[in-house]
Amino acid sequence: GEDVEQSLFLSVREGDSSVINCTYTDSSSTYLYWYKQEPGAGLQLLTYIFSNMDMKQDQRLTVLLNKKDKHLSLRIADTQTGDSAIYFCAERLYAGNNRKLIWGLGTSLAVNP
Amino acid sequence: DTGVSQNPRHKITKRGQNVTFRCDPISEHNRLYWYRQTLGQGPEFLTYFQNEAQLEKSRLLSDRFSAERPKGSFSTLEIQRTEQGDSAMYLCASSDYRGPATNEKLFFGSGTQLSVL
């Protein structure tokens, strides 16, 4: 079946790196996304990776994809208090249609000063 | 580009009342999506439009829910005879869809928080 799993909570100290993990079950993923949601707000697209890539770097963000293990991670370097939010992993299945975005439950990141 | 705009931001209503939410997508975006989100959950797909055509509704969506996008720009989501279980954040997203082989990125609004008393 289609499922995306994430750990629910992560706590880090300001300045450290954060690594948020995600596993998915469907091997027909085309794109995988990371969204950020701050309290009471909508979702902000942070970054994405195409399924034939294994790494993508964008400033402080590094996405790693292990397609064999169906594992995706988001590393935030030099984590700041403004990074405190819920991070959602989502996979787009090969359906040509974004209704097939499968979402995780989100990882709540707490950054302690 | 002013982003996706939703209003109202908050709506409190009594059970049994009808409510309507509005979404203004990013200009020129051809697709518009409605999602629902409750605490501790990811977004749940409700329905989506390509231009003015409603292409899909979730099978989980009650007949009390209806959405329109009459001119292919803004959209409204109406909930009739609201129930306490309808309390949630209603999110709208839009995209510039270029075809099935392309990376369709969704841009979300800030949502409408509905509380049904």
Side-chain angles (χ1 to χ4, degrees):
Chain A
E2 304 156 350
D3 198 15
V4 173
E5 292 189 356
Q6 302 178 236
S7 52
L8 294 183
F9 300 101
L10 177 66
S11 180
V12 299
R13 279 197 295 195
E14 192 173 14
D16 288 352
S17 291
S18 310
V19 179
I20 302 172
N21 295 301
C22 171
T23 57
Y24 57 97
T25 54
D26 201 302
S27 56
S28 64
S29 298
T30 53
Y31 289 92
L32 295 115
Y33 303 87
W34 285 104
Y35 281 84
K36 175 184 179 183
Q37 187 174 34
E38 297 183 46
L43 292 98
Q44 174 196 352
L45 177 63
L46 279 181
T47 187
Y48 62 91
I49 189 166
F50 187 46
S51 58
N52 70 354
M53 298 170 65
D54 50 24
M55 186 181 97
K56 180 179 178 181
Q57 186 145 6
D58 184 359
Q59 299 182 335
R60 291 191 298 124
L61 306 178
T62 303
V63 180
L64 295 177
L65 175 61
N66 181 329
K67 202 167 181 185
K68 175 175 165 288
D69 294 340
K70 299 191 183 72
H71 182 265
L72 180 74
S73 68
L74 174 70
R75 178 177 179 270
I76 306 172
D78 186 25
T79 314
Q80 303 297 307
T81 54
D83 295 324
S84 294
I86 300 176
Y87 290 80
F88 289 92
C89 167
E91 63 166 337
R92 181 183 173 198
L93 302 185
Y94 191 71
N97 185 331
N98 244 56
R99 74 163 173 86
K100 290 301 271 184
L101 263 184
I102 310 298
W103 296 83
L105 295 182
T107 298
S108 181
L109 173 65
V111 182
N112 306 306
Chain B
D1 178 358
T2 57
V4 178
S5 175
Q6 291 187 246
N7 63 79
R9 287 297 311 275
H10 301 93
K11 179 71 178 176
I12 300 173
T13 191
K14 290 184 180 176
R15 190 161 48 97
Q17 298 293 304
N18 299 344
V19 294
T20 300
F21 310 139
R22 177 179 169 124
C23 172
D24 288 88
I26 292 172
S27 179
E28 306 304 323
H29 273 192
N30 53 4
R31 281 196 171 180
L32 185 150
Y33 294 78
W34 286 100
Y35 284 86
R36 176 170 59 191
Q37 187 181 26
T38 52
L39 205 60
Q41 301 293 315
E44 174 196 2
F45 169 78
L46 296 179
T47 187
Y48 86 101
F49 294 83
Q50 181 152 321
N51 300 311
E52 64 275 7
Q54 187 174 18
L55 295 189
E56 185 169 352
K57 277 178 71 167
S58 166
R59 278 171 287 179
L60 302 174
L61 203 59
S62 155
D63 289 344
R64 297 182 295 105
F65 287 69
S66 62
E68 294 183 341
R69 194 184 184 198
K71 296 179 183 175
S73 56
F74 75 91
S75 175
T76 56
L77 176 69
E78 182 183 17
I79 310 173
Q80 295 182 324
R81 305 181 301 282
T82 51
E83 300 172 358
Q84 287 183 322
D86 297 331
S87 296
M89 172 82 89
Y90 289 83
L91 294 166
C92 175
S94 71
S95 73
D96 179 17
Y97 180 70
R98 300 288 182 95
T102 61
N103 179 13
E104 183 188 358
K105 291 179 277 188
L106 297 190
F107 294 86
F108 284 82
S110 298
T112 295
Q113 181 66 52
L114 173 66
S115 299
V116 182
L117 305 178

